[in-house]
Amino acid sequence: MADVKPAFFNATTIAIITGASKGIGRAIAIEFTRRCKKTLHLILTGRSEKDLNETLSIIKCSSEYSPQKVSVKLVIGDLGRQPVFPSLLDELFKDIDSSMFQHAVLINNAGSTGDVTKFTRDFAASDSSSIQEYFFLNLTSTLLLSSKFLSTFHPRTSGSDGSTRRTIVQLTSLSAILPSASWSLYCTGKAARDMMHKVIAVEEPDVRVLSYAPGPVDTSMLHHLADNSAATSTAEMIKACHEKAVTPEKTVRVLCDQLDKDEFESGAHMDLYDIIGVPQ
């Protein structure tokens, strides 16, 4: 029947993952390779060709990998560079035959912190270009990627019978709902992305949408926030988080467990510690 959707990891799947050159994006690509029981086509994008190739090498070393089961396309580029974004978007979706897949997944992972060295009062007109660049990467490009994904895999435009499962996951943060001093850009960007994905969930009831906050993750971003936040209270809060930080691999396993269970409300904001509890 057309309305019967396959289980998350038990379908012929195409997964587009942004920010896949390291950290959480890389861990998601590897975990999908391990969990998918049927054919998986990964489209991975990131700024560093070297790091993306390292992600590919790790995937190929997985015991679950075989070229017959898993194919990988690498797209090197910066989603935050507005002049090249249209060509990058075209390359990501080039030659996709949506009728070939039972499940289409978009992972909106790429993002940045913005300038955390300033309080709101410190920004000036001379910062307008950097502010626009921040929002282009963290919001505009995500909206346009999601739009392209939805139109590419929409039953009316893809020629499918409506049985293709569609999932959008965005990596968010507690900062989407909790303000922190000197993080005006970071908190605003995360909050806006959360709301954008809530809107998608309302507009597209057949699409499963999740905003997942991975908790404090031991990556370069966590160190950057600790070392550069202008507000002492914010910097101390982040430094305290280092003691509770998890690896990208651990938080991604929790994410994939939730995707597999498929019990979340579409459009929901889900935090790692809502699931596993806050470590004492």
Side-chain angles (χ1 to χ4, degrees), residues 113 134 174-193:
T113 65
Y134 170 79
L174 183 62
S175 296
I177 56 177
L178 181 68
S180 297
S182 74
W183 287 8
S184 55
L185 289 179
Y186 186 55
C187 292
T188 302
K190 289 300 185 185
R193 269 174 61 145

Side-chain angles (χ1 to χ4, degrees), residues 23-54:
I24 292 173
R26 172 183 287 177
I28 291 173
I30 294 167
E31 193 68 15
F32 271 36
T33 300
R34 290 172 176 160
R35 295 200 184 208
C36 280
K37 298 177 176 65
K38 295 188 177 180
T39 303
L40 171 66
H41 180 50
L42 290 169
I43 300 177
L44 309 179
T45 186
R47 291 177 297 177
S48 169
E49 182 175 3
K50 176 179 178 293
D51 291 340
L52 272 180
N53 277 308
E54 185 175 335

Side-chain angles (χ1 to χ4, degrees), residues 80-83 114-115 118 123-138 185:
R81 291 187 60 205
Q82 189 170 352
D115 190 347
K118 296 178 179 179
F123 285 99
S126 57
D127 295 308
S128 60
S129 293
S130 62
I131 292 171
Q132 289 173 353
E133 289 172 2
Y134 170 79
F135 282 110
F136 188 86
L137 170 61
N138 291 277
L185 289 179

Side-chain angles (χ1 to χ4, degrees), residues 99-272:
S99 65
M100 297 292 292
F101 303 99
Q102 298 172 303
H103 190 189
V105 183
L106 173 63
I107 306 291
N108 283 321
N109 171 60
S112 64
T113 65
D115 190 347
V116 296
T117 68
K118 296 178 179 179
F119 294 94
T120 306
R121 63 177 177 266
D122 298 323
F123 285 99
S126 57
D127 295 308
S128 60
S129 293
S130 62
I131 292 171
Q132 289 173 353
E133 289 172 2
Y134 170 79
F135 282 110
F136 188 86
L137 170 61
N138 291 277
L139 190 60
T140 305
S141 71
T142 305
L143 187 151
L144 294 173
L145 271 165
S146 300
S147 174
K148 183 71 170 179
F149 173 83
L150 291 168
S151 62
T152 298
F153 295 100
H154 196 284
R156 288 200 302 268
T157 55
S158 67
S160 72
D161 61 2
S163 63
T164 301
R165 177 173 179 155
R166 295 177 294 161
T167 303
I168 297 177
V169 178
Q170 74 121 348
L171 276 296
T172 184
S173 168
L174 183 62
S175 296
I177 56 177
L178 181 68
S180 297
S182 74
W183 287 8
S184 55
L185 289 179
Y186 186 55
C187 292
T188 302
K190 289 300 185 185
R193 269 174 61 145
D194 265 26
M195 183 53 70
M196 186 192 78
H197 286 81
K198 287 180 182 292
V199 170
I200 292 173
V202 171
E203 292 177 342
E204 308 284 347
D206 291 336
V207 179
R208 299 290 283 146
V209 183
L210 178 64
S211 292
Y212 177 70
V217 184
D218 189 11
T219 64
S220 58
M221 181 178 286
L222 191 66
H223 295 276
H224 170 77
L225 290 169
D227 294 340
N228 294 280
S229 295
T232 301
S233 59
T234 303
E236 289 177 348
M237 179 265 293
I238 288 296
K239 289 174 183 176
C241 285
H242 277 281
E243 300 176 4
K244 301 176 182 179
V246 298
T247 63
E249 292 76 18
K250 178 174 180 177
T251 194
V252 165
R253 287 195 296 270
V254 173
L255 167 61
C256 288
D257 286 345
Q258 296 304 307
L259 293 174
D260 207 16
K261 290 178 182 177
D262 196 23
E263 296 173 351
F264 58 87
E265 178 184 357
S266 190
H269 174 113
M270 181 183 293
D271 191 279
L272 170 72

